[in-house]
Amino acid sequence: MKPPTALGQPAGAPPDDAPGLAPPEPLGVVCVAAGAAVVGVVAAGEVVVGVVAVVVDVAAGVVAALVIGGGDTVAPLSRLSPEPQAPSASAQTRPSGSTRTRGGRDIGPMLARHPPQPVAPPNRFRYARVPGASHWVGPLQSDSGSRPVKGGADDTMSVKYAVLGLLAQRRGYGYDLVQRFEEQVGPAWQLNAGAIYVALDKLEQEGLVRPVADGDGEAPPTRRRTVRGAPRVIYEATREGLERFEDWMATGSSMSPLREELHLKLALSQPRNLPRLIELTYEQEQTCLERLEQHLGGPGFDDLLPSTPPWSAVASVMVRDAEIAHLQATVEWLRRIREAMRWLQEQPDALRART
Amino acid sequence: MTLLSFDGVTKRYARGYRELDALAEIQLDVEPGDFVAIWGGSRSGKTTLLRVAAGIEPPDDGRVAFDGQDLAALSRKRRARLLLTDIGCMWQTGRITRGLSVLDHVALPRFKRSSHAQARREAHDVLERVGAPQAANARWHELTDGERTRVALAHALIRRPRLLLADEPTASLNMIEREQVLGVLRSVAEEAGVAIVMTAPDAPNLLQSHRLMSLDGGRLIKPRSEQRGTLIDFPKAGERASRRG
């Protein structure tokens, strides 16, 4: 068993394994950035999903929608997507019923208030509002996300394929997959352990992975993997799963939109906010430095390449380097806008002209 | 025991009719064995920070203490002695001393203390340590950038400094040379307990260090884990205006 590694471990104990091995960090660690409050809330939702899925044998997507919707929080409606048994069902034809209610509250009318546009908007996104939620909810995809949508990475889908890929490497059980994901992808993803279990459920229902006998091969495949004390279920990828994974590797990758709270504050600011905005750039830079600190002493290309390392090590460093590159670009941007705002601050005339 | 401490250090340069804050209220404590990396772009003040730390430039405000002694209170001679024995510097514009071979240039700081033969032997050792033994007999113009950096590092290390100030030691190095130079710095900090303050222009070069902070417009920005007591000193609009007089 690998001990918990770096900072940024996912919160939430994996339900099917020794709880002592679970990363002990509180949820707060997950949301480091000032703008990450929303992420944190969703994360909380997903952890709850992981737990609820243990108890209630309901497809996890539904549970996610219910839990999140009931919690008066941001809910990506893509989670309301149809069950895997009917993967082609669209939002319009989705049956209303348990999937749309929470505590007897039917959210179907809410969807009806936003009927599908006769002419599809270019990005095929619509936004809807969950009753009681104070935020706009995430992109509502008419399709369950089986194809990458431009401008909107579907994390759930990515994790699903990542689980498939991990199982293609070698068979494994839930917590093992969580750890391998952490190890190979790194802390920047801020994976919720629950998402792995959700993905396993979906994959199993789609026939892309299947449980195999445990250890000696005597024990029959156990479906109840999440009850503490029950034998853990080891999964392997089916042939179809391997093919699906190869397809995914070959398709283009979507890119997450850049959504930072600071961008909104800048966009909606007034000239009188300048002093505070400049302070905010300092605070944001501090946050970037904190994230960079997590990479201190980590392996870099410099250490690796002279020694002809295994590909997995190179791949892991490349993925970690992505966060470093992003943080560097962010800090350089912060310095640029700070310089610009300082200049404006010292030129009242210039500022008036732009007001 | 803090080896190097900056307490509210401010340095201004006159630029025509206005003053430029090269350093503004710097707070920094460096312990023996610390490897501090300072990330700053051009004109961020990082070279000034190192020059003030070396006692080459006096601060306009605040106090720089090396091993508890206020650098500004020392005589010029004592400061020069510190630079010869306790503080090693690698400057970006480093050159070898005119008329000397690379070996003699590296050995120079030891000539006064030991015999020339002994100093040259030490120079050989330290060149080997930094991975440039072949540079000893080369001419300066024959050296690659990587070798020049290593010669500068050897020149700084031969005096067995307690504090090493390195200004962009990884500039103009390729990936493998960079790893070697940073590896030497790291091991010098960890094994010999030398305190290192290094500047770097981008993030990947910072990550071999123990602590990292950012310098922009003369202001040192530290991660919150570094914050002891005061928050970074935000420029106050009125204050800056009055300073320019």
Side-chain angles (χ1 to χ4, degrees), chain A residues 285-286 290 297 328 335 338, chain B residues 207 214 216 222 224 227:
Chain A
E285 188 164 340
Q286 279 189 305
E290 272 159 41
Q328 174 171 336
R335 289 174 179 168
R338 190 184 299 140
Chain B
L207 297 177
S214 159
D216 184 52
K222 304 173 188 173
R224 278 179 195 84
Q227 226 97 66

Side-chain angles (χ1 to χ4, degrees), chain A residues 35 50 72 105 108 119 193 211 218 238 283 299 321 331 341:
Chain A
D72 277 359
R105 194 168 50 179
V119 180
E218 291 294 311
T238 62
E283 288 168 19
D321 201 44
V331 167
M341 288 195 289

Side-chain angles (χ1 to χ4, degrees), chain A residues 293-301 303 317 320, chain B residues 186 207-209:
Chain A
E293 267 188 333
Q294 298 177 13
H295 296 278
L296 278 182
F301 296 114
D303 313 300
V317 168
R320 281 160 203 267
Chain B
R186 198 182 163 99
L207 297 177
Q208 289 296 316
S209 66

Side-chain angles (χ1 to χ4, degrees), chain A residues 33-105:
Chain A
V38 172
V39 174
V41 172
V42 174
E46 286 184 359
V47 171
V48 178
V49 173
V51 178
V52 172
V54 175
V55 183
V56 192
D57 188 17
V58 184
V62 178
V63 178
L66 296 182
V67 169
I68 295 170
D72 277 359
T73 56
V74 183
L77 283 198
S78 56
R79 291 183 200 285
L80 286 171
S81 59
E83 293 314 293
Q85 291 90 339
S88 61
S90 69
Q92 296 95 301
T93 60
R94 191 186 301 145
S96 65
S98 69
T99 58
R100 291 196 186 186
T101 58
R102 164 69 178 166
R105 194 168 50 179

Side-chain angles (χ1 to χ4, degrees), chain B residues 156-169:
Chain B
L157 286 180
I158 196 170
R159 58 201 94 196
R160 302 196 189 103
R162 295 157 72 196
L163 172 67
L164 178 64
L165 305 170
D167 195 11
E168 295 201 17

Side-chain angles (χ1 to χ4, degrees), chain B residues 8-244:
Chain B
V9 170
T10 299
K11 179 80 190 169
R12 302 184 193 100
Y13 290 128
R15 284 279 180 277
Y17 63 90
R18 58 178 289 176
E19 281 186 341
L20 189 85
D21 279 9
L23 297 177
E25 311 261 325
I26 301 283
Q27 291 293 141
L28 175 64
D29 285 329
V30 183
E31 316 289 332
D34 265 0
F35 184 1
V36 180
I38 295 179
W39 176 14
S42 58
R43 294 166 50 80
S44 61
K46 50 192 172 144
T47 303
T48 304
L49 182 85
L50 295 187
R51 288 173 66 83
V52 170
I56 297 170
E57 302 225 24
D60 291 324
D61 253 324
R63 184 171 176 273
V64 183
F66 178 79
D67 204 9
Q69 296 168 299
D70 187 352
L71 281 179
L74 298 178
S75 68
R76 278 183 68 137
K77 198 174 169 185
R78 290 273 291 125
R79 283 205 299 269
R81 173 64 57 85
L82 272 185
L83 279 176
L84 195 61
T85 57
D86 286 350
I87 304 179
C89 302
M90 282 175 76
W91 303 113
Q92 246 186 312
T93 50
R95 304 246 5 209
I96 65 170
T97 316
R98 192 178 287 260
L100 295 188
S101 69
V102 167
L103 188 67
D104 280 353
H105 167 73
V106 171
L108 190 61
R110 301 297 292 171
F111 277 169
K112 194 169 178 183
R113 291 237 167 148
S114 47
S115 74
H116 286 201
Q118 171 68 18
R120 290 200 177 99
R121 266 197 301 280
E122 287 179 27
H124 263 299
D125 290 347
V126 73
L127 277 173
E128 197 122 2
R129 171 87 198 268
V130 301
Q134 75 287 357
N137 301 315
R139 306 287 184 102
W140 180 251
H141 66 263
E142 293 168 343
L143 299 180
T144 65
D145 281 343
E147 285 168 334
R148 288 179 187 190
T149 305
R150 276 178 261 195
V151 167
L153 180 57
H155 180 68
L157 286 180
I158 196 170
R159 58 201 94 196
R160 302 196 189 103
R162 295 157 72 196
L163 172 67
L164 178 64
L165 305 170
D167 195 11
E168 295 201 17
T170 51
S172 74
L173 297 190
N174 70 27
M175 205 180 261
I176 289 165
E177 291 170 329
R178 198 168 66 193
E179 195 270 331
Q180 287 169 341
V181 167
L182 289 176
V184 169
L185 289 181
R186 198 182 163 99
S187 71
V188 160
E190 286 173 359
E191 290 157 22
V194 176
I196 300 180
V197 181
M198 176 189 88
T199 64
D202 57 5
N205 284 312
L206 301 164
L207 297 177
Q208 289 296 316
S209 66
H210 303 145
R211 295 163 64 188
L212 63 89
M213 44 199 77
S214 159
L215 191 67
D216 184 52
R219 289 184 167 76
L220 202 57
I221 304 158
K222 304 173 188 173
R224 278 179 195 84
S225 57
E226 286 271 350
Q227 226 97 66
R228 293 160 192 158
T230 56
L231 202 70
I232 39 168
D233 340 281
F234 294 128
K236 300 199 177 58
E239 206 178 75
R240 278 183 69 80
S242 66
R243 224 179 246 165
R244 277 182 293 133

